């Protein structure tokens, strides 16, 4: 296998490779033009068929999952955490056409590319896998961590808006929104303005408009949306006072978020410190002293370098995913009790 890798690598590094590939490309383009074959149409047809096939498989998996849930068959706990994590990532980045299955397919492709690149540089499959697999996991962990930050920022913006709206609810939902819209963060203000236009101009029912707004602003807004729908439909006296409970919940939520942020900040600091020490020692061993030649030229030295990279990436991945997994496990336990 190593000889095959070396042969492929020598082929790509050959000075004649680029001119030959350019000649073949020109020949293919000329052939397609001469016979009147539309290359773009063929590529579009192939990609369309691949997309249709993926969507068919995705729909079938979702249907099977729905049928299993109807008869009381629950998913594996760890797969539920993983699915909930991916669903949060997709929602936070606004990837409307993305699903958990498509996300898995995308990362499988990233894994193949990372493995091929690692094999190219290390010329050893074992070492390549030790680098490629944790690298893909690190990319996934970084995306999840970024999603967590986006969700946290959205929740804070929504809570700040609700803290201004709730005391004004005795005047009515529309009036409270209009008086507070200037306080809303620019990231959520367009959604609120769209909801106001739907209710006032288009005549969309409050239930429909608030349900759509809750889907955009997330779980922090859901409780308020449900109370607002009941308040607008029933018009009961004294019902507006119940909205002040939301402000109290927001206060406790902020305290919990601050405590979690302090804890996670300490965990991240410790993690970066460990990774930094390991990487520093590895660099010293590779470029200074008696071990430098051994580490860079022998298989055992390359294996040690690969293990070091593996450990550094693994520490980062475990640290980030544990932070997200703690919150998701709490949500799952809360959902199970309900």
């Amino acid at each position: 296998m190593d000889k095959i890798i070396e042969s492929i690598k020598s082929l790509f590094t050959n000075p004649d490779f680029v001119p030959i590939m350019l000649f073949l490309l020109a020949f293919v383009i000329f052939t397609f033009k001469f016979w009147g074959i539309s290359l773009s149409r063929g590529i579009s047809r192939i990609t369309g068929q691949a997309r249709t096939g993926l969507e068919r498989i995705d729909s079938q998996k979702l249907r099977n999952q729905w049928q299993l849930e109807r008869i009381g068959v629950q998913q594996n706990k760890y797969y539920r955490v993983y699915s909930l994590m991916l669903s949060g990532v997709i929602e936070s980045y606004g990837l409307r056409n993305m699903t958990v299955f498509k996300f898995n397919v995308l990362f499988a492709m990233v894994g193949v590319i990372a493995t091929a690149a690692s094999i190219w540089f290390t010329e050893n499959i074992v070492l390549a896998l030790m680098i490629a697999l944790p690298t893909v996991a690190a990319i996934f962990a970084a995306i999840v961590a970024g999603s967590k930050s986006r969700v946290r920022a959205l929740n804070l913006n929504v809570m700040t808006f609700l803290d201004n709206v709730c005391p004004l609810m005795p005047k009515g939902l529309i009036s409270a929104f209009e008086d507070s819209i200037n306080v809303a963060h620019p990231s959520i203000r367009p959604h609120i303005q769209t909801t106001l236009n739907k209710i006032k101009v288009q005549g969309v029912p409050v239930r429909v408009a608030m349900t759509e707004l809750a889907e955009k602003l997330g779980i922090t807004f859901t409780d308020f949306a449900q109370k607002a729908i009941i308040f607008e439909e029933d018009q009961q006296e004294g019902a507006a006072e119940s909205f002040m409970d939301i402000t109290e919940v927001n206060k406790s939520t902020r305290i919990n978020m601050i405590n979690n942020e302090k804890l996670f900040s300490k965990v991240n600091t410790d993690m970066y410190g460990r990774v930094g020490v390991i990487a520093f020692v590895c660099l010293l061993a590779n470029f200074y002293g008696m071990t430098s030649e051994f580490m860079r030229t022998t298989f055992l030295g390359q294996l040690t370098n690969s293990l070091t990279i593996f450990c550094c990436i693994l520490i980062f991945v475990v640290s980030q995913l544990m932070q997200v997994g703690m919150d998701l496990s709490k949500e799952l336990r809360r959902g199970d009790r309900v």
Side-chain angles (χ1 to χ4, degrees):
M1 181 59 71
D2 292 341
K3 292 182 178 180
I4 297 176
I5 296 173
E6 291 178 3
S7 301
I8 296 175
K9 191 171 183 179
S10 63
L11 173 65
F12 281 98
T13 55
N14 192 313
D16 297 330
F17 176 75
V18 175
I20 292 174
M21 292 304 298
L22 290 175
F23 172 77
L24 291 176
L25 179 62
F27 178 75
V28 170
I29 294 175
F30 173 78
T31 303
F32 275 84
K33 291 291 185 180
F34 181 79
W35 293 103
I37 301 174
S38 176
L39 184 59
S40 59
R41 188 181 304 168
I43 295 175
S44 300
R45 185 173 65 253
I46 294 173
T47 54
Q49 291 175 351
R51 190 186 306 113
T52 302
L54 286 175
E55 290 177 352
R56 188 184 303 113
I57 296 173
D58 189 22
S59 301
Q60 184 62 40
K61 289 177 70 68
L62 291 174
R63 191 180 303 112
N64 293 339
Q65 178 182 335
W66 177 74
Q67 291 174 348
L68 290 174
E69 289 178 352
R70 285 197 63 185
I71 61 177
V73 178
Q74 296 292 332
Q75 289 180 333
N76 179 274
K77 178 182 177 181
Y78 298 103
Y79 184 76
R80 289 173 64 196
V81 173
Y82 173 75
S83 299
L84 184 60
M85 186 186 302
L86 281 189
S87 299
V89 170
I90 293 169
E91 182 179 350
S92 65
Y93 284 102
L95 305 175
R96 297 183 178 274
N97 296 324
M98 184 66 70
T99 62
V100 174
F101 173 74
K102 292 179 181 178
F103 199 94
N104 291 334
V105 173
L106 176 63
F107 257 81
M109 296 172 62
V110 173
V112 171
I113 295 173
T115 302
S118 300
I119 291 175
W120 175 271
F121 287 107
T122 62
E123 298 183 359
N124 186 286
I125 294 180
V126 176
L127 298 181
L129 290 176
M130 291 178 60
I131 296 174
L133 295 181
T135 299
V136 175
I139 295 173
F140 175 78
I143 293 175
V144 172
S147 167
K148 185 170 177 283
S149 300
R150 292 168 68 96
V151 171
R152 187 189 302 114
L154 175 62
N155 290 340
L156 287 173
N157 294 335
V158 171
M159 285 190 291
T160 301
F161 175 69
L162 292 181
D163 287 344
N164 287 274
V165 169
C166 290
L168 302 176
M169 283 303 292
K171 300 165 58 177
L173 177 65
I174 303 300
S175 178
F177 270 26
E178 289 177 338
D179 293 344
S180 304
I181 192 168
N182 291 330
V183 183
H185 192 271
S187 62
I188 65 174
R189 191 180 301 156
H191 300 309
I192 299 167
Q193 186 62 58
T194 300
T195 301
L196 285 173
N197 294 338
K198 285 183 177 180
I199 297 175
K200 293 178 59 178
V201 180
Q202 302 177 16
V204 176
V206 173
R207 176 177 292 274
V208 176
M210 291 300 291
T211 301
E212 293 178 353
L213 184 59
E215 292 177 354
K216 296 175 181 176
L217 299 187
I219 193 171
T220 306
F221 190 81
T222 302
D223 186 31
F224 172 83
Q226 293 173 349
K227 288 186 176 184
I229 292 171
I230 297 173
F231 175 74
E232 289 293 317
E233 291 180 349
D234 295 346
Q235 296 291 336
Q236 294 181 356
E237 293 186 5
E241 298 178 358
S242 64
F243 288 96
M244 298 308 297
D245 296 338
I246 296 177
T247 60
E248 296 299 323
V249 172
N250 288 345
K251 290 180 182 178
S252 61
T253 301
R254 282 194 181 91
I255 294 174
N256 291 333
M257 291 177 69
I258 292 173
N259 293 333
N260 290 337
E261 192 65 29
K262 291 180 179 178
L263 174 62
F264 293 154
S265 177
K266 183 178 183 302
V267 170
N268 287 333
T269 302
D270 294 341
M271 179 267 297
Y272 288 123
R274 294 190 185 97
V275 171
V277 170
I278 295 173
F280 179 71
V281 173
C282 182
L283 288 174
L284 284 179
N286 276 270
F287 295 101
Y288 296 97
M290 300 173 58
T291 59
S292 59
E293 184 176 356
F294 170 80
M295 294 292 289
R296 286 182 293 176
T297 58
T298 64
F299 173 78
L300 186 59
Q302 293 176 354
L303 179 62
T304 303
N305 288 332
S306 299
L307 285 172
T308 302
I309 297 173
F310 177 84
C311 291
C312 290
I313 296 175
L314 187 63
I315 291 172
F316 171 78
V317 170
V318 171
S319 174
Q320 298 303 312
L321 294 185
M322 280 184 63
Q323 296 176 31
V324 179
M326 287 170 60
D327 296 335
L328 294 177
S329 297
K330 291 178 183 178
E331 292 184 16
L332 284 175
R333 287 196 296 270
R334 191 183 305 119
D336 292 338
R337 286 196 297 268
V338 175

